[in-house]
Amino acid sequence: MPSTPRQAPSVVVLPEPAGLPEALPEPAADELRLELVLGALSDPLRLTIVRKLLLERDRFDHPCGWFGLDRPKSSLTHHFKALRRAGVIRQRQYGLERRSHVRIDDLDARFPGLLALVAQWGAVPA
């Protein structure tokens, strides 16, 4: 029986609003290294975080609580920091809260197709 090609999940791209706080320290786009990005994405929880930001976001950036992850705050802080240090996400400080979004343009320019693979990860075959 011929199989029908499955629809690739679509990445949600939202424009950057004006007046955002300064981003926390991160590598520049031309300093992104594939081994560090893949290392950060090798953890299933971090991969889930990035996939959720790519496919389910309804605002430009989201706080840790939006993800609905049942993990201690210290553990989540570690995972978000690993993603930021690898250059996968950008974080900004809003008072006591940090909000995150995926560096889609930088990652697509440096590693074409990588985010499409992340978006497809875990997708149930049709």
Side-chain angles (χ1 to χ4, degrees):
M1 174 183 298
S3 65
T4 56
R6 74 178 157 175
Q7 181 83 13
S10 58
V11 173
V12 177
V13 179
L14 299 172
E16 185 172 309
L20 291 173
E22 192 70 29
L24 296 175
E26 63 185 31
D30 63 345
E31 295 174 342
L32 295 175
R33 296 176 43 188
L34 183 60
E35 70 274 16
L36 296 178
V37 170
L38 292 177
L41 294 174
S42 69
D43 182 278
L45 179 64
R46 292 193 290 259
L47 194 54
T48 299
I49 289 168
V50 173
R51 188 167 190 272
K52 187 168 175 84
L53 279 172
L54 287 173
L55 302 176
E56 299 177 27
R57 69 185 184 149
D58 55 359
R59 290 180 295 183
F60 180 72
D61 52 10
H62 286 279
C64 295
W66 174 78
F67 295 90
L69 302 169
D70 187 24
R71 299 287 168 90
K73 185 174 180 176
S74 60
S75 174
L76 291 176
T77 298
H78 162 75
H79 288 293
F80 281 96
K81 188 175 188 177
L83 288 168
R84 180 174 48 85
R85 285 188 170 173
V88 177
I89 64 171
R90 174 166 290 139
Q91 289 188 303
R92 288 183 164 80
Q93 192 79 35
Y94 292 79
L96 298 176
E97 175 181 84
R98 285 189 180 176
R99 296 183 193 169
S100 307
H101 72 271
V102 178
R103 295 175 60 182
I104 294 172
D105 291 342
D106 293 341
L107 290 166
D108 278 346
R110 190 92 162 118
F111 311 114
L114 177 64
L115 293 180
L117 292 172
V118 171
Q120 291 175 8
W121 171 78
V124 180

